[in-house]
Amino acid sequence: MRQRLRKLVPQLLAILVLAAVALAAWAAWLGWDQHRDVQPDGTTTGPYEAWQVIGLVLTLLAPVYWAAARRYIAGAVLGTTVGLTVAAYDDWSDDSSGLFMVGVGMVMVGSLVVTAVISAVVAAAKRDGR
């Protein structure tokens, strides 16, 4: 029983820490920009620029790598996914079109798949001694 708790507690802590890191990274990179740009033809873009999203992804690579390298795969995958999903929901929930849940779902699935692949690659590389 104690041995099982010793393995479970670090995984749970990794999930909580990575969720908090993902929320903070979202706030730092995307949370402040709520302005849509109106183009000369009347179309709108934004509110985020490509460099902001790239910065968010690159920022999250470090904690995902850290967790996966220490075999906290659940923390790397679930923590990051939960953090980004909650941040996207909170940021977009005031959308009047009602389509914000489609975007939130895409963030959830995308972050789940990408963090799972990265975690698997890192864990395999660490297992092989690289």
Side-chain angles (χ1 to χ4, degrees), residues 110-122:
S111 60
L112 183 71
V113 169
V114 170
T115 55
V117 169
I118 290 171
S119 297
V121 169
V122 169

Side-chain angles (χ1 to χ4, degrees), residues 15-104:
I15 291 170
L16 291 174
V17 168
L18 264 79
V21 167
L23 277 165
W26 182 286
W29 285 102
L30 306 178
W32 55 270
D33 191 0
Q34 301 299 316
H35 181 266
R36 293 193 176 273
D37 299 321
V38 179
Q39 304 300 320
D41 64 356
T43 60
T44 60
T45 61
Y48 314 121
E49 299 292 331
W51 65 268
Q52 291 172 285
V53 177
I54 292 168
L56 173 65
V57 170
L58 292 177
T59 301
L60 291 176
L61 278 177
V64 168
Y65 175 86
W66 176 87
R70 284 155 183 78
R71 302 279 192 262
Y72 301 141
I73 305 298
V77 176
L78 296 178
T80 306
T81 301
V82 166
L84 290 177
T85 303
V86 168
Y89 180 85
D90 183 60
D91 198 14
W92 300 340
S93 64
D94 61 347
D95 179 40
S96 61
S97 72
L99 291 175
F100 78 94
M101 282 305 293
V102 174
V104 171

